[in-house]
Amino acid sequence: MSLLLKVSASLALVAVVLWWMWRRPVRESLYAWAPGLALSSAWLGLISAALSAALWVLPYPDRWVTALFLLIDPAAGACAILTFWILREQPHDNAPAQAQRLQATVGLALTLLAVALGYAFVLTSKAPFTPVGAP
């Protein structure tokens, strides 16, 4: 299976899941999760951006690349997306919801920066299509 086909299939799956999520009705019990998720997205985004920047100076960065790409970056992005999803029906003049949306936006922006830094490191430091940890 070609790499382009795999990437296209995964992007299509993400688009379908997000489309389905936004069509679901919001339950009132989920509103209590939004403050914690928004704060987590901002902090996890900051941590992932710092770790992605640290890849350039660490002596053995291969150990961190896997944890960063498979755990921290997806967790930060998921917290931000879930915050937006929970608050999608809240009015935009609601001050707490505005603050949580801002935290989620900052977290998502930092996560995207971390992913870009991480991929730039991998593309410039490793031969293409070699597994992590390979010379």
Side-chain angles (χ1 to χ4, degrees), residues 13-129:
L13 178 65
V14 168
V16 166
V17 167
L18 288 175
W19 174 80
W20 182 77
M21 278 177 57
W22 254 260
R23 293 182 46 89
R24 305 282 305 159
V26 178
R27 293 186 306 205
E28 296 295 324
S29 62
L30 291 177
Y31 289 125
W33 285 69
L37 284 171
L39 187 62
S40 297
S41 72
W43 278 106
L44 284 172
L46 183 63
I47 290 167
S48 66
L51 286 176
S52 291
L55 289 175
W56 298 90
V57 296
L58 289 174
Y60 300 107
D62 280 351
R63 300 178 199 162
W64 292 99
V65 170
T66 306
L68 188 64
F69 283 165
L70 295 180
L71 296 174
I72 300 170
D73 289 345
C79 287
I81 296 294
L82 285 173
T83 302
F84 290 133
W85 179 69
I86 290 170
L87 298 175
R88 70 187 185 274
E89 292 180 358
Q90 287 289 317
H92 286 280
D93 59 351
N94 184 354
Q98 261 184 334
Q100 292 162 12
R101 283 188 186 104
L102 178 62
Q103 285 177 328
T105 303
V106 167
L108 191 58
L110 286 171
T111 301
L112 293 175
L113 174 71
V115 169
L117 282 172
Y119 276 108
F121 171 78
V122 168
L123 290 174
T124 58
S125 301
K126 298 184 67 52
F129 305 111

